Amino acid sequence: MDSPALPRRRDFLQTTGLGLMSWPVLSSFLSSSDAIAAAAPAGPSPASTLPPLNRFPRMLQDWLVREVRAAEQRGNARREALKTKADAEAYVKSAQDRIRDCFGPLPEKTPLKAQITKTLQREGYRIENIVFESRPNYLVTGNLYLPTSATGSAKVPGVIGTCGHSLNGKAAEAYQSFAQGLARQGQACFLIDPVGQGERFQYLNEKLGSRLGGGTSEHNQMGVPQALVGEFLGTWFVWDAMRALDYLITRPEIDTQHLGVTGNSGGGTQTTWLCGMEPRFTMAAPSCFVTTFRRDAENELPQDMEQCPPRVLAHDLDHCDFLAAMAPKPVIILAQEKDFFDNRGSTESYERLKKLYTLLGKPGNIQLHIGPDPHGYSQSNREAMYQFFGKATGIPAAAAEPAITLEKDADLFCTPKGQVSEEGSRTLMSFTREKAEALAARRKPLSGEPLQKALRHVLRLPALPDTPPDYRILRSVGQRKYPAKSYCTYAVETEPSIFALLTRLSDEALTSRLPRGQTQAVLYISHRSADAELREAPFVKELLAASPGAAFFACDLRGMGDSQPDTCGANQFLGRYGSHYFYAAFSQMLDRPLPGQRTHDLLRVLQLLTAAGHTQIHLAAQGWGALPAAFAAVLSSPQVTQVTLKHPLTSFHDLAIHEDQQWPAALIVPQILPHLDLPDCYTALKAQNLHLIAPWSAPDGMK
């Protein structure tokens, strides 16, 4: 429901002022063509005869690698400065503090309300199927593998098992195997389903399966809008495991002096994060995850939202630092020779940690094992984990893994129908929606300087230089079928080696610096490709027809159109693990959200046009381009005298409350809803003759 302090979003977007005083021709033209504009597609038609220009496909990748390398160099400088045990102890404390800042405050602990719903008796061990609440009415399912061969009242070590991205969660073969293997060698293992997997699908279909496909698809669908309200999906994974540990230590069978954590792939991620967040663990074995952020960036390896902690690179943290946070406790890094998680980074992490552990007097407590296999918790790596945990606990492991007997998935169900939703569990999205509604209820409308200040903060905008940006004049690539006799494209350097591609239409053939002499200009920000939209988008043709006396520019901001990345595999432009997602996720880790970077690009382009004499700029955009256009317009009065946005996003609030929202991660501004929302910007832009056409809501973002 809408905040009483704000105008209703739908009503506001339908009635935003249309007083286009400085552009009378455009005012009458658009008022008579709204119906056509609303019905027209946002981008180019499929019948394009020319492929969109893409002359800078490596620009964003090269920028990312530079930024991540710089973060790694800063982190290495910190680590190389360690000379004494006191230095090492201070570093451990610093790593813990920086990690906590990335993961944010943890919720209050509430009653677990744990229930054992079934017990399976097996030779030498038993399996208890357990349900507990990690948050009120938010159910977690897990299998507790308990040794039954312990003599008398002897207690056994306890291990939390975290699953990778298996559709069936804790029932996957590799995860059953390590849990059973531990139990058959004298160590208990509580193996839990991650949210979105196993018995914890959040997007159910009529057959109680995941309508999104489960696992990574559910994780990103949940995790993207969480960022709007200041939440991080990885914190929710970590919290589930911390509460699982709370339950485990209540069991009389468990020796609380020996508490471990292990998992593979996505479970290796959780294990790594838990090393940094949960001080009660006494040993850890992350498998097939630990490398370096630089290797992941250079190798173009996208990962789930829970694997990308906000601000982590801005804090100069790397994978090794999460393990450093529990130094000098025993940790073994498990890698694989044929893994896509680059084991060169695993070795680099180990070498960094070896120095730290040596300074702390426990060089033998950090180990590295690289198995011979592809990605996965193979028997070789499981056996390395058994041996390491056995040494740490004083319970020797067998030379080889015992023969494993796999259970049927249904026998490991903790709920009657195999899904917690059927037991009334809340979904993760319901918490996001609840927080968004609470923020809307207490958020006050912003305008003027407070709005501009809040925008600069959430977008992480750097101060603009005093001088306009330099630019390159690109050679013509021939006839592009634009609605003008000629064109010239300028690569505007908005920051070192980052370019906004600015195309000027004209009747005169020019390949020269920006012409002077016109005060009025139309600046169009593309939805996906300025090149294609100049040829085919009806909105562009309408703008041109309505502005006969103005200079006309079309612009691709970074990563769009002429700089669309060719990274992250073939045809990965909009995939769930595509290039836009990849750079959005890394940008959040760098604390430079991608919408903020694009807003900075646009501000620099506006600075250039103003320096060229365009003191009355009509800023127009559609679809994805409307977001940075709205932000830049709020920050660019008085040179922006008119704003026209076609298919702008209604509000970020709408994305946070709709579980099926379709706007990509590249359009998400982390932590914006505690401060402001788009209607604040639209209200402010009424003073700049704002005109909104057919806004898009939560389901429309991938059009």
Side-chain angles (χ1 to χ4, degrees), residues 73-91:
Q73 290 167 2
R74 294 192 302 269
N76 284 342
R78 287 181 186 238
R79 289 180 281 269
E80 289 166 3
L82 305 180
K83 304 298 181 184
T84 67
K85 183 178 182 180
D87 292 342
E89 290 171 341
Y91 187 85

Side-chain angles (χ1 to χ4, degrees), residues 350-364:
Y350 167 74
E351 294 297 338
R352 296 170 185 172
L353 289 164
K354 188 72 172 181
K355 175 184 177 181
L356 182 71
Y357 272 70
T358 299
L359 288 173
L360 293 171
K362 298 286 186 180

Side-chain angles (χ1 to χ4, degrees), residues 541-592:
K541 294 179 174 63
E542 294 160 7
L543 289 167
L544 277 164
S547 312
F552 192 94
F553 298 87
C555 184
D556 284 327
L557 305 175
R558 72 179 73 191
M560 304 304 298
D562 225 343
S563 61
Q564 163 60 43
D566 61 0
T567 49
C568 304
N571 302 316
Q572 282 295 305
F573 171 46
L574 291 177
R576 199 168 291 277
Y577 273 157
S579 58
H580 278 250
Y581 169 80
F582 177 61
Y583 297 109
F586 261 101
S587 293
Q588 290 189 28
M589 291 193 284
L590 288 163
D591 201 26
R592 285 202 63 192

Side-chain angles (χ1 to χ4, degrees), residues 259-282:
L259 299 171
V261 59
T262 190
N264 179 78
S265 189
T269 306
Q270 296 172 62
T271 299
T272 302
W273 299 165
L274 284 160
C275 289
M277 290 291 290
E278 178 49 87
R280 292 176 293 179
F281 286 121
T282 63

